[in-house]
Short mmCIF file of all heavy atoms in Angstrom, two decimals:
data_model
loop_
_atom_site.label_atom_id
_atom_site.label_comp_id
_atom_site.label_asym_id
_atom_site.label_seq_id
_atom_site.Cartn_x
_atom_site.Cartn_y
_atom_site.Cartn_z
N ASN A 42 -49.23 -36.40 -1.82
CA ASN A 42 -49.52 -35.38 -2.82
C ASN A 42 -48.91 -35.71 -4.17
O ASN A 42 -48.48 -34.85 -4.90
CB ASN A 42 -48.99 -34.02 -2.33
CG ASN A 42 -49.71 -33.56 -1.10
OD1 ASN A 42 -50.89 -33.82 -0.93
ND2 ASN A 42 -48.99 -32.89 -0.22
N SER A 43 -48.88 -36.97 -4.49
CA SER A 43 -48.27 -37.39 -5.74
C SER A 43 -49.34 -37.64 -6.79
O SER A 43 -50.34 -38.30 -6.52
CB SER A 43 -47.44 -38.65 -5.53
OG SER A 43 -46.96 -39.11 -6.76
N SER A 44 -49.11 -37.14 -7.98
CA SER A 44 -50.04 -37.44 -9.07
C SER A 44 -49.76 -38.83 -9.65
O SER A 44 -50.54 -39.33 -10.45
CB SER A 44 -49.91 -36.38 -10.15
OG SER A 44 -48.59 -36.36 -10.66
N ALA A 45 -48.66 -39.45 -9.24
CA ALA A 45 -48.33 -40.79 -9.72
C ALA A 45 -49.17 -41.87 -9.05
O ALA A 45 -49.21 -42.99 -9.52
CB ALA A 45 -46.85 -41.07 -9.48
N LEU A 46 -49.83 -41.53 -7.95
CA LEU A 46 -50.64 -42.52 -7.26
C LEU A 46 -51.92 -42.77 -8.04
O LEU A 46 -52.61 -41.84 -8.45
CB LEU A 46 -51.00 -42.03 -5.84
CG LEU A 46 -49.86 -42.00 -4.85
CD1 LEU A 46 -50.31 -41.36 -3.56
CD2 LEU A 46 -49.35 -43.40 -4.59
N PRO A 47 -52.28 -44.03 -8.26
CA PRO A 47 -53.51 -44.33 -8.97
C PRO A 47 -54.74 -44.11 -8.10
O PRO A 47 -54.62 -43.90 -6.89
CB PRO A 47 -53.35 -45.81 -9.33
CG PRO A 47 -52.42 -46.34 -8.32
CD PRO A 47 -51.51 -45.21 -7.94
N VAL A 48 -55.90 -44.16 -8.72
CA VAL A 48 -57.14 -43.96 -7.99
C VAL A 48 -57.37 -45.10 -7.01
O VAL A 48 -57.85 -44.90 -5.90
CB VAL A 48 -58.32 -43.85 -8.99
CG1 VAL A 48 -59.63 -43.74 -8.25
CG2 VAL A 48 -58.12 -42.65 -9.89
N ASP A 49 -57.00 -46.29 -7.38
CA ASP A 49 -57.17 -47.47 -6.53
C ASP A 49 -55.95 -47.63 -5.63
O ASP A 49 -54.83 -47.76 -6.11
CB ASP A 49 -57.35 -48.71 -7.41
CG ASP A 49 -57.70 -49.94 -6.60
OD1 ASP A 49 -57.90 -49.82 -5.37
OD2 ASP A 49 -57.79 -51.02 -7.20
N ALA A 50 -56.16 -47.63 -4.32
CA ALA A 50 -55.04 -47.74 -3.38
C ALA A 50 -54.38 -49.11 -3.42
O ALA A 50 -53.24 -49.26 -3.01
CB ALA A 50 -55.51 -47.45 -1.96
N ARG A 51 -55.07 -50.11 -3.92
CA ARG A 51 -54.48 -51.45 -4.00
C ARG A 51 -53.36 -51.50 -5.02
O ARG A 51 -52.47 -52.32 -4.94
CB ARG A 51 -55.53 -52.48 -4.35
CG ARG A 51 -56.57 -52.61 -3.26
CD ARG A 51 -57.42 -53.77 -3.53
NE ARG A 51 -56.64 -54.96 -3.22
CZ ARG A 51 -57.14 -56.13 -2.93
NH1 ARG A 51 -58.42 -56.29 -2.91
NH2 ARG A 51 -56.37 -57.15 -2.65
N ALA A 52 -53.42 -50.61 -6.01
CA ALA A 52 -52.39 -50.59 -7.05
C ALA A 52 -51.38 -49.47 -6.82
O ALA A 52 -50.60 -49.15 -7.69
CB ALA A 52 -53.05 -50.40 -8.42
N ALA A 53 -51.41 -48.89 -5.64
CA ALA A 53 -50.53 -47.77 -5.34
C ALA A 53 -49.07 -48.22 -5.31
O ALA A 53 -48.76 -49.34 -4.95
CB ALA A 53 -50.90 -47.14 -4.00
N ILE A 54 -48.22 -47.30 -5.69
CA ILE A 54 -46.78 -47.58 -5.67
C ILE A 54 -46.12 -46.67 -4.66
O ILE A 54 -46.65 -45.62 -4.30
CB ILE A 54 -46.16 -47.35 -7.07
CG1 ILE A 54 -46.47 -45.93 -7.55
CG2 ILE A 54 -46.67 -48.38 -8.05
CD1 ILE A 54 -45.73 -45.54 -8.81
N ALA A 55 -44.97 -47.08 -4.18
CA ALA A 55 -44.23 -46.27 -3.21
C ALA A 55 -43.55 -45.13 -3.96
O ALA A 55 -42.82 -45.35 -4.91
CB ALA A 55 -43.21 -47.12 -2.48
N THR A 56 -43.81 -43.92 -3.52
CA THR A 56 -43.17 -42.75 -4.12
C THR A 56 -42.49 -41.95 -3.02
O THR A 56 -42.75 -42.14 -1.84
CB THR A 56 -44.21 -41.84 -4.82
OG1 THR A 56 -45.12 -41.35 -3.84
CG2 THR A 56 -44.98 -42.60 -5.89
N ASN A 57 -41.66 -41.03 -3.42
CA ASN A 57 -40.96 -40.19 -2.45
C ASN A 57 -41.86 -39.09 -1.91
O ASN A 57 -41.52 -38.44 -0.93
CB ASN A 57 -39.72 -39.58 -3.08
CG ASN A 57 -38.66 -40.62 -3.36
OD1 ASN A 57 -38.62 -41.65 -2.71
ND2 ASN A 57 -37.82 -40.36 -4.36
N ASP A 58 -43.00 -38.87 -2.55
CA ASP A 58 -43.92 -37.82 -2.10
C ASP A 58 -44.79 -38.26 -0.93
O ASP A 58 -45.49 -37.46 -0.35
CB ASP A 58 -44.82 -37.38 -3.25
CG ASP A 58 -44.04 -36.74 -4.37
OD1 ASP A 58 -42.93 -36.24 -4.09
OD2 ASP A 58 -44.52 -36.74 -5.51
N CYS A 59 -44.77 -39.52 -0.61
CA CYS A 59 -45.62 -40.05 0.44
C CYS A 59 -44.75 -40.42 1.65
O CYS A 59 -43.70 -41.04 1.49
CB CYS A 59 -46.36 -41.29 -0.08
SG CYS A 59 -47.77 -41.71 0.94
N PRO A 60 -45.19 -40.07 2.87
CA PRO A 60 -44.37 -40.34 4.05
C PRO A 60 -44.38 -41.81 4.48
O PRO A 60 -43.70 -42.17 5.42
CB PRO A 60 -45.00 -39.46 5.12
CG PRO A 60 -46.41 -39.29 4.69
CD PRO A 60 -46.38 -39.29 3.18
N PHE A 61 -45.13 -42.66 3.82
CA PHE A 61 -45.18 -44.07 4.18
C PHE A 61 -45.24 -44.91 2.92
O PHE A 61 -45.50 -44.42 1.83
CB PHE A 61 -46.38 -44.38 5.08
CG PHE A 61 -47.69 -43.91 4.51
CD1 PHE A 61 -48.42 -44.72 3.65
CD2 PHE A 61 -48.20 -42.67 4.85
CE1 PHE A 61 -49.62 -44.29 3.13
CE2 PHE A 61 -49.40 -42.24 4.32
CZ PHE A 61 -50.11 -43.06 3.46
N ASN A 62 -44.99 -46.20 3.08
CA ASN A 62 -45.03 -47.12 1.96
C ASN A 62 -46.48 -47.44 1.63
O ASN A 62 -47.20 -48.00 2.45
CB ASN A 62 -44.27 -48.40 2.32
CG ASN A 62 -44.16 -49.35 1.17
OD1 ASN A 62 -44.67 -49.10 0.07
ND2 ASN A 62 -43.49 -50.46 1.39
N THR A 63 -46.91 -47.11 0.44
CA THR A 63 -48.32 -47.27 0.07
C THR A 63 -48.64 -48.60 -0.60
O THR A 63 -49.78 -48.83 -0.99
CB THR A 63 -48.73 -46.14 -0.89
OG1 THR A 63 -47.90 -46.20 -2.04
CG2 THR A 63 -48.61 -44.79 -0.23
N THR A 64 -47.68 -49.48 -0.72
CA THR A 64 -47.91 -50.70 -1.50
C THR A 64 -48.92 -51.63 -0.87
O THR A 64 -49.71 -52.25 -1.56
CB THR A 64 -46.59 -51.45 -1.73
OG1 THR A 64 -45.96 -51.67 -0.47
CG2 THR A 64 -45.67 -50.66 -2.62
N ARG A 65 -48.92 -51.75 0.44
CA ARG A 65 -49.83 -52.70 1.08
C ARG A 65 -50.75 -52.06 2.11
O ARG A 65 -51.26 -52.76 2.98
CB ARG A 65 -49.02 -53.80 1.74
CG ARG A 65 -48.28 -54.70 0.80
CD ARG A 65 -47.60 -55.79 1.59
NE ARG A 65 -46.38 -56.34 1.09
CZ ARG A 65 -45.27 -55.71 0.77
NH1 ARG A 65 -45.20 -54.43 0.85
NH2 ARG A 65 -44.20 -56.35 0.36
N ILE A 66 -50.97 -50.79 2.04
CA ILE A 66 -51.74 -50.13 3.09
C ILE A 66 -53.20 -50.57 3.11
O ILE A 66 -53.80 -50.73 4.17
CB ILE A 66 -51.61 -48.60 3.00
CG1 ILE A 66 -52.21 -47.96 4.24
CG2 ILE A 66 -52.28 -48.06 1.74
CD1 ILE A 66 -51.87 -46.52 4.42
N TYR A 67 -53.79 -50.81 1.96
CA TYR A 67 -55.19 -51.21 1.88
C TYR A 67 -55.40 -52.57 2.54
O TYR A 67 -56.25 -52.73 3.42
CB TYR A 67 -55.64 -51.24 0.42
CG TYR A 67 -57.08 -51.59 0.21
CD1 TYR A 67 -58.07 -50.64 0.38
CD2 TYR A 67 -57.46 -52.87 -0.18
CE1 TYR A 67 -59.40 -50.95 0.17
CE2 TYR A 67 -58.79 -53.19 -0.39
CZ TYR A 67 -59.75 -52.22 -0.22
OH TYR A 67 -61.06 -52.54 -0.41
N ASP A 68 -54.61 -53.55 2.13
CA ASP A 68 -54.76 -54.90 2.68
C ASP A 68 -54.39 -54.96 4.15
O ASP A 68 -55.05 -55.65 4.93
CB ASP A 68 -53.91 -55.89 1.89
CG ASP A 68 -54.34 -55.99 0.44
OD1 ASP A 68 -55.56 -55.83 0.19
OD2 ASP A 68 -53.49 -56.22 -0.43
N THR A 69 -53.36 -54.23 4.54
CA THR A 69 -52.93 -54.25 5.94
C THR A 69 -53.97 -53.61 6.84
O THR A 69 -54.26 -54.13 7.93
CB THR A 69 -51.58 -53.52 6.09
OG1 THR A 69 -50.63 -54.13 5.23
CG2 THR A 69 -51.08 -53.58 7.52
N ALA A 70 -54.54 -52.49 6.42
CA ALA A 70 -55.55 -51.83 7.23
C ALA A 70 -56.76 -52.74 7.44
O ALA A 70 -57.25 -52.89 8.57
CB ALA A 70 -55.98 -50.52 6.57
N LEU A 71 -57.23 -53.35 6.38
CA LEU A 71 -58.38 -54.24 6.52
C LEU A 71 -58.05 -55.48 7.32
O LEU A 71 -58.87 -55.96 8.11
CB LEU A 71 -58.92 -54.61 5.14
CG LEU A 71 -59.56 -53.47 4.36
CD1 LEU A 71 -60.05 -53.96 3.01
CD2 LEU A 71 -60.67 -52.81 5.13
N ALA A 72 -56.85 -56.01 7.16
CA ALA A 72 -56.44 -57.19 7.92
C ALA A 72 -56.36 -56.91 9.41
O ALA A 72 -56.56 -57.80 10.23
CB ALA A 72 -55.11 -57.71 7.40
N LEU A 73 -56.07 -55.68 9.78
CA LEU A 73 -56.01 -55.31 11.19
C LEU A 73 -57.38 -54.89 11.73
O LEU A 73 -57.70 -55.11 12.90
CB LEU A 73 -55.00 -54.19 11.41
CG LEU A 73 -53.54 -54.56 11.19
CD1 LEU A 73 -52.66 -53.32 11.27
CD2 LEU A 73 -53.10 -55.60 12.20
N TRP A 74 -58.19 -54.28 10.89
CA TRP A 74 -59.48 -53.77 11.35
C TRP A 74 -60.52 -54.86 11.55
O TRP A 74 -61.34 -54.77 12.47
CB TRP A 74 -60.02 -52.72 10.38
CG TRP A 74 -59.30 -51.42 10.44
CD1 TRP A 74 -58.44 -51.00 11.41
CD2 TRP A 74 -59.36 -50.36 9.50
NE1 TRP A 74 -57.95 -49.76 11.12
CE2 TRP A 74 -58.51 -49.34 9.96
CE3 TRP A 74 -60.04 -50.17 8.30
CZ2 TRP A 74 -58.33 -48.15 9.27
CZ3 TRP A 74 -59.86 -48.99 7.62
CH2 TRP A 74 -59.02 -47.98 8.10
N PHE A 75 -60.53 -55.90 10.71
CA PHE A 75 -61.53 -56.95 10.87
C PHE A 75 -61.39 -57.69 12.20
O PHE A 75 -62.39 -57.83 12.93
CB PHE A 75 -61.49 -57.93 9.69
CG PHE A 75 -62.29 -57.47 8.51
CD1 PHE A 75 -61.66 -57.23 7.31
CD2 PHE A 75 -63.66 -57.29 8.59
CE1 PHE A 75 -62.39 -56.80 6.21
CE2 PHE A 75 -64.40 -56.86 7.51
CZ PHE A 75 -63.76 -56.62 6.31
N PRO A 76 -60.21 -58.17 12.59
CA PRO A 76 -60.12 -58.82 13.91
C PRO A 76 -60.40 -57.84 15.06
O PRO A 76 -61.00 -58.23 16.07
CB PRO A 76 -58.68 -59.31 13.99
CG PRO A 76 -58.21 -59.37 12.59
CD PRO A 76 -58.96 -58.32 11.85
N SER A 77 -60.00 -56.59 14.91
CA SER A 77 -60.28 -55.60 15.95
C SER A 77 -61.78 -55.39 16.10
O SER A 77 -62.29 -55.25 17.21
CB SER A 77 -59.61 -54.28 15.61
OG SER A 77 -58.22 -54.42 15.61
#
Side-chain angles (χ1 to χ4, degrees):
N42 296 326
S43 174
S44 60
L46 289 174
V48 176
D49 187 5
R51 295 190 75 157
I54 55 172
T56 63
N57 291 334
D58 296 337
C59 198
F61 53 87
N62 185 358
T63 59
T64 53
R65 293 184 210 55
I66 190 166
Y67 182 80
D68 297 328
T69 303
L71 292 180
L73 292 173
W74 287 346
F75 276 118
S77 296

